[in-house]
Each structure stands twice: as C-alpha cells, then as structure tokens.
Amino acid sequence: MTTIPTRLAKLATPSSSIAEARRRSINAYRAWYRSAPEIVALYALNISPSWVRLKIRQDFERNRAITDLKIIDMLLLKNQQEYQETMNCWKQEPHLMHWFKQYEDPQPPQTFLDKFYAGRDDPKQVSSF
C-alpha cells in the first residue's frame, strides 16, 4: 500500500463550543469504529475487530467527563494524529498490541510471598531502612 502522508491530514481548528467539540469527538469515534476491520487486516492482528472496537470505546469513555474546551481540543488533535499514523501504516504491530496490554497483564501480587516471588518490595518496609 502506498503511503500518502496527507491522506488523513486535518487542520487543527479549535472548537467554538462544547456542542461542536462533541460533534467532532463523535465523528472521530465513528471513524475509528468503522476502521476497526481495516486495522485488523492492515496489521494482520490475531484479534477480532470487536476487540479493537471495545478498546476504542473504552478510550473514548475514559475521557467522557472532560468539559474543558481546550483539553477536549487537545485530545481531538492527539486522536487525529493517532488515527492518521494507524491508518497510514506508520506503526508496527507491537505499537497496536500495546493497546491491549492491560488485558494480558497478570493481577499484581497481594501476599508477601507472591510479592517476593515477583521481585517487588513493600514500599512501607523499604522506606524504613
């Protein structure tokens, strides 16, 4: 596939109101959502498009409560940059699989022996030295 750097480029225009920022974020979400099968195919991922859509949904939901217009604009700009890099194949598979890292991480050790086996120290006891 030929990479065209300006294929998905957009101007960084600030939003004039919360309603406009909401519209822009919904459009960004739709673009990601529709691109999930293409992302899986482009990078030959061993996951289904529904997993990609789930992760996209979680990322958008995590920032749902933000009401500051400047922060929303900054997040939309970063979102567009991430989308352009992903769709133009400027990433490699490990960059995308990093999105799903939290699902693969084991639970943090709870007991003393589990922490000892994992090589983690208890911060309360280490600071007492």
Side-chain angles (χ1 to χ4, degrees), residues 40-88:
V40 171
L42 280 174
Y43 292 95
L45 300 177
N46 291 330
I47 56 174
S48 66
S50 61
W51 274 90
V52 175
R53 288 178 173 148
L54 175 67
K55 184 58 181 166
I56 292 166
R57 174 75 180 215
Q58 288 176 346
D59 288 345
F60 274 85
E61 287 290 330
R62 186 179 62 226
N63 297 321
R64 181 179 211 150
I66 297 174
T67 57
D68 186 6
L69 201 54
K70 291 183 181 183
I71 293 175
I72 293 172
D73 284 341
M74 186 244 342
L75 289 172
L76 285 170
L77 177 67
K78 286 184 176 183
N79 171 59
Q80 179 59 31
Q81 177 183 355
E82 188 81 15
Y83 181 71
Q84 183 180 11
E85 290 173 0
T86 303
M87 297 309 293
N88 280 335

Side-chain angles (χ1 to χ4, degrees), residues 109 111-122 126:
T111 64
F112 172 76
L113 283 178
D114 290 340
K115 290 178 184 177
F116 179 77
Y117 294 144
R120 296 191 176 126
D121 294 324
D122 189 8
V126 173

